[in-house]
Amino acid sequence: MAEIILKNLTKIYSGDVLAVDDINLKINDGEFIVFLGPSGCGKSTTLRMIAGLETISEGEILIDNKIVNDIDSAKRDLAIVFQNYALYPHMSIMGNLSFGLKLRKLPLLEIEKRVLETADLLGIKHLLNRKPKELSGGQQQRVALGRALVREPIAFLFDEPLSNLDAKLRALMRTELIKLHRRLKTTTIHVTHDQVEAMTMGERICIMEQGKIIQVGTPIEIYKNPVNTFVAGFLASPPMNLFDASLTAADSEINIQFSGNVVTLPKKRFASLMKYIDGEIVFGIRPEDIYPEEITENMAPFDVTVLAVESLGPETILVSHLMDGQEIYARLDRSFKAGYNTKIRLYVDISKIKLFDSKTTLAIH
Amino acid sequence: MALSIQQRDQRFGFLLTLPGLATLFIIIIFPLVFTIITSFYDYTLLNPNHDDFVGLENYQEVLEEEYIGHSVIITIQFVLATVFIEFIIGFALALALDKVQRFKSIYYLILLAPLMINPVVVGLMWRMILHTELGIMNYLLKLMSINRVNWLGDSDIAFWTIVFVDIWHQVSFMTILLLAGLAALPREPYEAARMDGASALRCLIYITLPLMRPVIIVALLLRLIFAVKTFDIIYIMTKGGPGIATDLVSYFIYRSAFFSLDIGRASALSVGLLVIVLLLTFYLYKYMRSPN
C-alpha cells in the first residue's frame, strides 16, 4: 500500500527534449489512476521515473512520504507490467514468476505457495513448465501480470499492458484488472492511450499532453467538464464535435454562428461570455447531445447533409456535413435512418453546449 | 532447338558460378583429394609418385610415432588455454564496450587493429619485442629491476609466450562476436529484472549469460576450430622449439613433410587433423541450425 506524490517532476532527455514538464500529482493510497494521453505525451516517461527506470531531471517523487529519487528501482518495491511483457525468455513460467521472490531470499516453500496461488488466480497453472515463447500473447500477458502480483508490491505500474491484445481479450483483461484491484486494493497507475480503457478502469484519470498534466478527475467529471479543447476532442469515441464560431449579441440574447448556422443561447450565460462578444470562440457539442427531432424546448436546430450512417447495433453514428463542409458526428438511436446526401435537420441540446476560448483553448464556464 | 527461358537461366547461372567453382576445385578440392590419396602411399620427396600403395601403413606409423602424443597434448593445452583466456578477456571487454556511448568507433579501431595484422607480421613483431637481448619487453623489465626473461628460448616459458601472442592477436575476434551478441539482447528483461530486485551482478548471471549462451557457444567453437589449426605463429616465432616445447600438431605435420620429407605420413597426419576439425565444424553447423 502506498501513496505516491509527484512534485515538480521534470524529465529532460539528452540535450533539450522536454518529455515531462513540471508535473504535480498526488496518487492516493489504494487508488486506481489512469495516465491518459496520445503517444509522446510523457505518460510512460512519468511511469518509468516512478519505477526508477529513468532518472529524474528535476523535482521529487515521494512514496509514502519518503523521497525516492536516489533509491534504486530494485529497492522501491514496485512492480511494473510492460507493454511487450518483457518475460525472461530463457526461464520457464515458474522461473519467471519466482525470480523476484528468489532474489528476495524467501523460503522455497513460501515461494512455491505464492507462485501456485498467483498462477491459480490468473488461470495459468497448467503453463508453469512452459517457456514464454510457447505461450499465446494473452497467456504471456497473464504471466507478466502474475510476475507483478506474486511479489505483493506496494504499488502496480501498468505500462500499456493491454495494447498488444486483440479487442475481445483486451475487454476481458480490463474487467479482470478492475476485479483484481477491488480485491487487493493496491495503489495502481495504469498508463494508456486508449480512452475507453481510461474511462472504464480509472477511479481517476490524469490526462497528459506534451509533458504536462491537462486535467485530473473522475472519468465522469472529465467527460462532463473537459478543461480545454484537447481533452474535449480526446475523450470518448466519437469525441466532442468542435467548431470555430463567432459570438454576436442581439437584444437580450447571444448568438453563436458556426458553419452557417446560428444557435441562440439563454441569458444566464451572459456574464462569462461578455468579453467574447464580436469575437471568436470554439463551440463544442458531444455526439450524444444531438437529436434528430426537437424533444425538449431547449433545443436549437441546424441543417446538415448526410455523409454516412454507421449502424453499431445498439446505436447509430451519423456522420454528416455542415454547410461549409465540416464534419459533425451524432450518436443517435438505432432506429434512425437517412439516405446518403439527403439534407436533414438536427437539434442540439443547448444546455449541453460547451464553449472554449479560441486562444487559450480553455473552457468558458 | 531453342532453349527454354529456364534452361537459359540455368546455363547463365552455371557460367557465373564457374570461376568460383574452378578456384574452389584448384585450391581446396584438388589438394584435399590429393592428400587423402597420398596418405595411402609411400610418397616421399625423394620418391614423389604414387607407385607404392601401402594401405593404412602411414596411419599405423603415425600412431606409433614417438612424439605425436606430446604434440597432441600440447595442442590440446594450447587450444584450451587460448580459447578459455580469450573468452574471459573477450567477454569482459565486450561487457565494458557494450555500454560505451562516446568514441565507440575509436575503441573499435583499437580493438580490431591486431586482427587486421597478418599473422606472420604479428609473429615477427612479437619476436622483436620479446628478443632476449634487443627486445623492448626485457628493456622495460630491466627498468623495473626485473631480470630479463628468455621469452622464446626457455622451454617452460615459450609455450605461454605463444599462448599470450595468440591471445593478443585473436582476442578481438572473440570480443567482436560477443559484442554483437550483447547488442542484440532484448533490453526489456533487464528492466523487469531490476524491478524484480536484481543487482547488476545477478542480471549478468541470471539474464545475460543464459541469453548469450548460443552466441558464446558459437564464438567458442569458432575459435576452437581456428586454434586447433594454429601454425603461422609457431613457424615464425619458435619453429616448434625450444626442443619440441611448442611443437603443435600442425607444425609437427609440417616437419614430417618438409624436414623428414615423408609426404605420405604427413598426409595421414593431415587427414587425422582434418577429421577432428570436421567433427568440430559439423557440431557447430548442427548447433547453429538447431531451432534453439
Side-chain angles (χ1 to χ4, degrees):
Chain A
M1 298 293 135
E3 176 190 82
I4 299 169
I5 297 171
L6 315 180
K7 262 192 197 165
N8 305 106
L9 194 65
T10 300
K11 176 73 189 182
I12 302 164
Y13 278 112
S14 57
D16 50 356
V17 185
L18 191 59
V20 176
D21 187 3
D22 191 28
I23 65 173
N24 288 285
L25 182 68
K26 183 180 166 202
I27 298 152
N28 301 319
D29 185 12
E31 185 177 24
F32 195 117
I33 192 167
V34 176
F35 287 2
L36 176 67
S39 26
C41 73
K43 56 193 191 302
S44 276
T45 309
T46 307
L47 191 82
R48 291 170 59 84
M49 280 195 281
I50 297 170
L53 295 171
E54 296 283 353
T55 54
I56 295 164
S57 305
E58 277 164 46
E60 286 170 351
I61 294 176
L62 287 88
I63 298 178
D64 285 334
N65 289 316
K66 216 173 85 189
I67 297 173
V68 296
N69 286 31
D70 296 321
I71 295 180
D72 193 69
S73 38
K75 300 211 171 81
R76 292 189 192 184
D77 200 17
L78 307 167
I80 191 165
V81 177
F82 296 92
Q83 181 177 358
N84 48 20
Y85 318 137
L87 299 177
Y88 307 121
H90 56 291
M91 295 183 195
S92 66
I93 301 312
M94 181 83 192
N96 268 280
L97 292 177
S98 60
F99 187 62
L101 301 178
K102 280 182 187 152
L103 290 175
R104 279 174 174 69
K105 302 216 161 54
L106 260 66
L108 280 178
L109 277 175
E110 170 74 12
I111 293 178
E112 200 182 319
K113 188 174 141 255
R114 278 216 220 169
V115 169
L116 288 177
E117 271 174 16
T118 309
D120 210 23
L121 177 73
L122 295 171
I124 49 172
K125 215 169 177 177
H126 59 295
L127 304 171
L128 285 176
N129 292 320
R130 303 232 195 125
K131 289 274 177 69
K133 67 173 174 210
E134 297 165 40
L135 270 53
S136 71
Q139 289 170 329
Q140 290 188 23
Q141 212 278 336
R142 277 163 194 274
V143 176
L145 191 62
R147 190 171 59 181
L149 286 180
V150 77
R151 286 218 341 255
E152 298 176 9
I154 56 169
F156 291 119
L157 311 176
F158 296 154
D159 191 1
E160 309 214 16
L162 307 182
S163 55
N164 285 1
L165 302 178
D166 61 61
K168 199 176 159 196
L169 205 52
R170 196 182 312 164
L172 191 77
M173 283 309 287
R174 235 163 37 206
T175 324
E176 289 205 22
L177 284 181
I178 298 166
K179 275 198 266 176
L180 208 60
H181 177 253
R182 289 216 182 102
R183 223 173 91 178
L184 302 173
K185 280 281 159 220
T186 307
T187 313
T188 305
I189 306 174
H190 181 104
V191 164
T192 182
H193 62 264
D194 180 342
Q195 42 92 14
V196 178
E197 234 171 87
M199 291 296 284
T200 52
M201 298 176 78
E203 288 172 347
R204 276 198 304 162
I205 299 177
C206 165
I207 296 191
M208 294 183 71
E209 191 205 8
Q210 294 183 350
K212 285 193 167 73
I213 292 181
I214 305 295
Q215 188 171 10
V216 183
T218 64
I220 207 70
E221 269 168 27
I222 293 179
Y223 172 79
K224 279 188 169 163
N225 294 307
V227 293
N228 64 10
T229 51
F230 170 76
V231 177
F234 191 69
L235 220 57
S237 174
M240 187 182 281
N241 296 293
L242 295 167
F243 305 102
D244 288 325
S246 54
L247 272 192
T248 50
D251 298 334
S252 57
E253 288 172 333
I254 284 187
N255 293 323
I256 306 170
Q257 294 177 341
F258 69 99
S259 304
N261 293 290
V262 179
V263 173
T264 305
L265 285 192
K267 293 172 192 169
K268 60 174 182 178
R269 286 258 193 136
F270 261 59
S272 59
L273 289 174
M274 279 319 278
K275 65 170 175 169
Y276 297 99
I277 300 290
D278 297 325
E280 300 292 311
I281 54 154
V282 176
F283 165 85
I285 184 77
R286 289 216 177 266
E288 44 272 43
D289 297 325
I290 299 175
Y291 300 88
E293 62 240 14
E294 201 165 4
I295 52 169
T296 64
E297 286 175 11
N298 212 8
M299 288 199 152
F302 61 99
D303 296 319
V304 297
T305 311
V306 174
L307 198 62
V309 180
E310 299 169 353
S311 175
L312 301 180
E315 63 192 13
T316 298
I317 306 290
L318 168 70
V319 189
S320 46
H321 275 320
L322 289 168
M323 271 179 235
D324 66 346
Q326 289 197 76
E327 277 180 17
I328 184 165
Y329 285 77
R331 189 189 291 268
L332 305 175
D333 191 80
R334 64 175 157 190
S335 61
F336 177 82
K337 299 249 179 332
Y340 173 69
N341 231 358
T342 53
K343 287 194 179 355
I344 58 167
R345 176 160 284 193
L346 295 175
Y347 297 85
V348 294
D349 184 344
I350 290 175
S351 64
K352 300 284 172 57
I353 286 173
K354 299 285 167 205
L355 298 174
F356 302 90
D357 186 309
S358 55
K359 288 195 189 69
T360 63
T361 76
L362 292 175
I364 307 164
H365 297 291
Chain B
M1 199 181 79
L3 292 168
S4 72
I5 292 176
Q6 198 184 3
Q7 280 172 322
R8 265 184 288 156
D9 271 1
Q10 276 176 352
R11 180 174 286 190
F12 184 61
F14 182 72
L15 277 173
L16 284 180
T17 47
L18 202 59
L21 279 176
T23 316
L24 201 68
F25 182 82
I26 294 165
I27 66 171
I28 295 184
I29 310 285
F30 172 72
L32 181 69
V33 174
F34 187 86
T35 305
I36 293 171
I37 293 171
T38 308
S39 70
F40 298 110
Y41 286 87
D42 182 18
Y43 188 108
T44 64
L45 282 186
L46 298 172
N47 183 25
N49 55 52
H50 289 110
D51 289 342
D52 298 334
F53 182 80
V54 293
L56 291 173
E57 206 172 283
N58 282 326
Y59 289 90
Q60 202 178 345
E61 270 179 40
V62 165
L63 291 176
E64 287 163 2
E65 184 91 44
E66 195 180 351
Y67 293 112
I68 184 68
H70 166 80
S71 278
V72 168
I73 287 169
I74 66 159
T75 303
I76 291 172
Q77 285 173 343
F78 175 82
V79 168
L80 291 181
T82 51
V83 174
F84 179 71
I85 299 171
E86 274 168 26
F87 172 69
I88 299 292
I89 299 174
F91 202 68
L93 275 175
L95 283 173
L97 279 171
D98 186 41
K99 297 279 175 281
V100 167
Q101 303 286 340
R102 298 173 65 195
F103 307 124
K104 206 165 191 164
S105 49
I106 294 176
Y107 290 120
Y108 272 52
L109 194 69
I110 296 172
L111 190 70
L112 281 172
L115 211 57
M116 289 188 276
I117 306 174
N118 188 302
V120 175
V121 179
V122 172
L124 286 172
M125 192 178 82
W126 279 100
R127 214 170 74 182
M128 282 189 255
I129 293 172
L130 298 172
H131 193 281
T132 320
E133 310 291 337
L134 309 168
I136 194 167
M137 189 66 98
N138 278 349
Y139 171 74
L140 290 173
L141 288 182
K142 204 175 91 187
L143 289 184
M144 291 185 285
S145 309
I146 298 173
N147 285 339
R148 65 180 181 206
V149 178
N150 193 354
W151 297 105
L152 295 169
D154 185 315
S155 48
D156 291 330
I157 296 171
F159 175 79
W160 290 104
T161 306
I162 295 294
V163 167
F164 166 78
V165 173
D166 188 75
I167 290 169
W168 181 88
H169 189 206
Q170 300 286 351
V171 73
S172 32
F173 178 76
M174 188 75 94
T175 313
I176 295 293
L177 273 185
L178 294 172
L179 203 51
L182 284 177
L185 288 186
R187 205 178 57 134
E188 296 82 15
Y190 288 92
E191 294 193 333
R194 270 177 73 189
M195 295 302 294
D196 262 347
S199 61
L201 181 68
R202 279 168 194 270
C203 279
L204 174 70
I205 295 169
Y206 293 113
I207 311 285
T208 308
L209 285 178
L211 288 181
M212 281 285 285
R213 195 169 149 262
V215 180
I216 291 173
I217 289 178
V218 168
L220 287 177
L221 274 171
L222 276 179
R223 273 302 299 138
L224 204 70
I225 290 166
F226 291 146
V228 168
K229 304 187 296 179
T230 304
F231 173 78
D232 6 37
I233 286 179
I234 305 291
Y235 178 76
I236 299 293
M237 295 185 72
T238 63
K239 299 223 185 301
I244 50 170
T246 58
D247 195 21
L248 302 187
V249 170
S250 57
Y251 195 75
F252 187 94
I253 296 171
Y254 171 81
R255 284 200 302 126
S256 304
F258 299 104
F259 286 85
S260 312
L261 306 183
D262 193 341
I263 304 289
R265 206 174 61 194
S267 298
L269 276 162
S270 297
V271 172
L273 187 63
L274 178 71
V275 168
I276 292 167
V277 172
L278 269 182
L279 284 176
L280 284 171
T281 312
F282 180 68
Y283 180 73
L284 175 69
Y285 178 80
K286 261 187 72 175
Y287 184 83
M288 286 170 76
R289 281 297 175 98
S290 70
N292 297 316

